[in-house]
Amino acid sequence: MKRGSSLIVEDVRKSFGHGADEHRVIDGLSLRVDPGEFVCIVGPSGAGKTTLLRCLSGLTRPTSGTIRYGDQPLTRPLADIAVVFQDYRGSLMPWLRVRDNVAFPLEGMGVKRAERRKRADECLAAVGLPDVGDKYPWQLSGGMQQRVAIARGLAYEAPVLLMDEPFGSVDAQSRFDLEDLTLSLRRKLGITVIVVTHDIDEAVYLGDRVIVLGGRPTTVIDNLTIDLGTERDQIDTRADPRFADLRTRVLTQIRNPHPSPPHRTAKKPASTPRGPESVVSRP
């Protein structure tokens, strides 16, 4: 799998409607995500998190400002960027077997049938479902169906994976399992992962960085490096006092949104391979 490029958002604004009916959702938002990073985006309901993710995927174009994938303006969906949507029930086709669900998008990319089947089986094995290819989605649990949706995203062999509230429709135990699966896949494949979530604990547990959106219209109000190490555990990591500190910082910003001058944007200087311009990881 190729390494991919940085996703760079510069002074993006997104509005819906025109004239007196115009509703500006995002205003002056800038951020950067480099190859191999795991970044979580959080914010209150209605903050435009999904709108931003759709812009990052090329499915929606901003009203103004620029989004680039490396040196390439992002104006349409790219093969390098895969998306896992929020509701697996709406994204999996119940009349197709699981293997065919995973392989289906590859047909439009011109991938031959034998290669589609091989890649689908490999991706199902990667998400811990090596023996379900011949079943139908409705024969699987909710957590297993979401694994299938993740496998389909991996089948693109895209270096960037965008996930929109990916675990919100499953039970708590399945959610923990899927979080750990995503961390494992990120380590194994070296992909860039961007997750939009309303769950603050999930964002702190998963991310190398957490970008907090807030305000009306929305902009970046904080950008935190999560200094919890690369190996994380649902019990030990969540019991770490630093986890509580970071969770409190994010929750405070969401409940009382006000841009923090040193952290207003999530840009990173070109000379720094990783991390925001100025990082505060403790309250």
Side-chain angles (χ1 to χ4, degrees):
M1 186 173 292
K2 56 186 176 180
R3 180 169 171 76
S5 301
S6 298
L7 269 170
I8 302 164
V9 179
E10 295 179 332
D11 198 26
V12 157
R13 291 170 171 80
K14 179 62 181 175
S15 299
F16 296 97
H18 302 280
D21 295 325
E22 181 183 15
H23 174 56
R24 181 170 292 180
V25 178
I26 296 172
D27 185 31
L29 190 150
S30 298
L31 60 86
R32 177 183 179 119
V33 180
D34 282 336
E37 279 198 286
F38 198 131
V39 172
C40 292
I41 299 173
V42 300
S45 296
K49 301 184 294 297
T50 294
T51 298
L52 174 60
L53 197 80
R54 291 181 63 85
C55 289
L56 292 174
S57 71
L59 292 169
T60 298
R61 297 187 67 174
T63 304
S64 64
T66 60
I67 300 178
R68 291 183 287 116
Y69 179 65
D71 296 328
Q72 177 181 3
L74 184 56
T75 58
R76 57 182 176 80
L78 300 177
D80 271 16
I81 302 175
V83 185
V84 174
F85 295 101
Q86 179 175 1
D87 190 353
Y88 56 83
R89 292 165 295 192
S91 63
L92 298 179
M93 291 166 278
W95 61 89
L96 289 181
R97 296 183 188 274
V98 166
R99 180 183 296 107
D100 295 328
N101 262 284
V102 174
F104 180 76
L106 302 178
E107 185 174 357
M109 298 169 62
V111 179
K112 293 183 178 180
R113 182 176 180 180
E115 175 63 20
R116 293 199 306 268
R117 182 184 179 94
K118 175 176 176 290
R119 201 183 295 183
D121 285 341
E122 289 174 348
C123 292
L124 285 168
V127 299
L129 298 175
D131 303 316
V132 303
D134 292 326
K135 295 183 180 296
Y136 290 95
W138 47 267
Q139 293 178 296
L140 307 179
S141 69
M144 294 172 74
Q145 290 184 57
Q146 188 64 313
R147 286 175 183 249
V148 173
I150 295 171
R152 185 167 59 187
L154 296 176
Y156 283 93
E157 295 186 345
V160 179
L161 181 63
L162 308 181
M163 308 179 81
D164 183 14
E165 300 277 9
F167 316 133
S169 300
V170 299
D171 61 86
Q173 183 57 56
S174 295
R175 187 181 194 117
F176 291 156
D177 291 342
L178 288 166
E179 289 171 355
D180 289 337
L181 169 68
T182 306
L183 286 174
S184 175
L185 291 171
R186 180 277 188 101
R187 288 193 299 268
K188 178 180 178 181
L189 302 175
I191 57 177
T192 304
V193 183
I194 302 174
V195 172
V196 162
T197 179
H198 68 277
D199 190 308
I200 296 170
D201 286 28
E202 179 172 89
V204 173
Y205 181 73
L206 289 174
D208 299 324
R209 285 192 289 141
V210 173
I211 293 174
V212 185
L213 305 184
R216 291 189 182 275
T218 291
T219 190
V220 174
I221 61 172
D222 213 345
N223 175 27
L224 287 75
T225 287
I226 306 299
D227 57 344
L228 296 174
T230 57
E231 298 293 331
R232 300 186 187 180
D233 175 86
Q234 292 287 353
I235 297 175
D236 293 339
T237 301
R238 292 174 185 267
D240 190 323
R242 292 175 299 169
F243 185 94
D245 289 348
L246 289 161
R247 180 187 183 279
T248 299
R249 171 66 179 260
V250 175
L251 179 60
T252 300
Q253 292 285 32
I254 290 175
R255 291 177 65 89
N256 303 289
H258 56 281
S260 246
H263 316 286
R264 174 156 187 170
T265 68
K267 294 179 181 178
K268 297 188 288 182
S271 60
T272 302
R274 194 157 187 165
E277 287 180 344
S278 178
V279 175
V280 174
S281 58
R282 306 290 292 269

